[in-house]
Amino acid sequence: MVIVVPPLAMLALQVLFWQLVGVIEGSDDPMSPTMTPLKSLAINISIGAAGVVAVLLLAWIAKVPWRCLISSPRAFDARRLRIYLVGAALLVGAGIGVVALVAPDSPGWTAFGVTGTTISLLVVTVLSTPLQSAGEELWWRSAVLPAAASWVRAVRPALAVGLIVSSLGFAMLHGSNDSWLFGYYTFIGICTALMAIISRGIEAPVAFHVANNVLFGIVNTVLADGEPYAIDRSTDSGDASLLILAAVNIAMVVLVWLHERRARARSAG
């Protein structure tokens, strides 16, 4: 149920919202991949809501407090979230800079431009993308990972099953048949799952996901020549430049591991 119900909830909300957006915008094709401000907002809200549904559903099925799915055995730590958000922003920003230097054509950037559409998309990105990013982490790392892990009794095999199922599910949700993109999304899922396991909480993967999606959303918006940008996940839309971003994921996992090891050493001392 935790694997099946949230995607259906997200799909239903997204179709409903996009149809409403189509009426408001007077669009002939409300389901097109072009990201207008209202369509972007609709996606972010639907994914955020699906994440909440996933956590509440698992808490209800497993008869556990929902807070235990956010962090355990410790309580949620806002300071951790802030620290990881700063670190993630620096790493993702560096990754974007390297991509811009090495493979500027790979992300589909066209030219710098600022219009009313650009400003509206920037506002939606900054205000609502964190909800979308947190929703995905609640969904896949707080809910699906432990739910799939519960299929196996032994601890280490259980963690492996939860990590694999949640990472593949996360990749499939993004709907790409390009091998580079599918592999990259799977790798993101593995890395963010490792962040959650190492830190015993959702703060690190949420911080990384928020920094990644917000910064890329801003860059994609301002480099779309003032027009709404389209999300292209078709065949041959990915390439080896994704290895640069994969390195950013690895760096974030290392950062989390070092910070948590230092934190445990301090508490033990």
Side-chain angles (χ1 to χ4, degrees):
M1 288 182 67
V2 173
I3 293 175
V4 173
V5 172
L8 294 177
M10 182 204 71
L11 181 61
L13 285 173
Q14 189 168 309
V15 170
L16 173 62
F17 289 157
W18 277 24
Q19 293 298 328
L20 291 174
V21 169
V23 172
I24 295 170
E25 295 180 340
S27 173
D28 295 330
D29 184 13
M31 305 303 291
S32 72
T34 302
M35 288 296 102
T36 65
L38 287 179
K39 288 176 73 173
S40 181
L41 178 62
I43 289 176
N44 291 342
I45 292 174
S46 63
I47 294 176
V52 174
V53 168
V55 168
L56 294 180
L57 184 60
L58 180 58
W60 174 66
I61 293 173
K63 301 294 188 290
V64 297
W66 63 267
R67 291 179 179 83
C68 293
L69 301 175
I70 305 301
S71 58
S72 181
R74 61 175 178 80
F76 177 81
D77 187 351
R79 182 173 178 274
R80 256 187 179 89
L81 179 63
R82 291 192 296 269
I83 291 172
Y84 286 136
L85 188 58
V86 171
L90 293 174
L91 290 173
V92 172
I96 292 174
V98 174
V99 171
L101 289 173
V102 175
D105 296 329
S106 295
W109 299 329
T110 53
F112 179 82
V114 177
T115 62
T117 297
T118 305
I119 299 300
S120 298
L121 275 171
L122 288 174
V123 171
V124 169
T125 297
V126 171
L127 295 182
S128 69
T129 296
L131 300 177
Q132 172 262 333
S133 303
E136 285 195 289
E137 292 307 314
L138 290 172
W139 181 348
W140 296 104
R141 260 57 76 180
S142 290
V144 174
L145 192 158
S150 70
W151 301 342
V152 181
R153 185 177 296 273
V155 174
R156 290 185 179 178
L159 283 176
V161 170
L163 191 150
I164 292 169
V165 171
S166 62
S167 301
L168 290 176
F170 176 77
M172 287 188 286
L173 178 74
H174 284 76
S176 176
N177 55 8
D178 177 82
S179 56
W180 277 106
L181 281 175
F182 186 86
Y184 176 61
Y185 289 131
T186 303
F187 190 71
I188 291 177
I190 292 171
C191 288
T192 48
L194 288 174
M195 294 174 208
I197 292 168
I198 292 168
S199 63
R200 300 182 181 183
I202 201 69
E203 299 93 340
V206 166
F208 180 76
H209 209 141
V210 168
N212 184 79
N213 287 14
V214 169
L215 290 179
F216 267 102
I218 290 172
V219 174
N220 289 341
T221 298
V222 299
L223 294 181
D225 200 20
E227 299 295 327
Y229 64 89
I231 297 177
D232 183 11
R233 294 172 180 160
S234 59
T235 303
D236 298 327
S237 56
D239 58 29
S241 67
L242 291 170
L243 294 175
I244 298 169
L245 305 181
V248 172
N249 282 261
I250 294 172
M252 185 65 188
V253 173
V254 173
L255 173 65
V256 172
W257 178 72
L258 290 173
H259 179 76
E260 293 300 325
R261 187 177 69 167
R262 193 177 302 115
R264 286 165 192 161
R266 285 198 304 267
S267 62

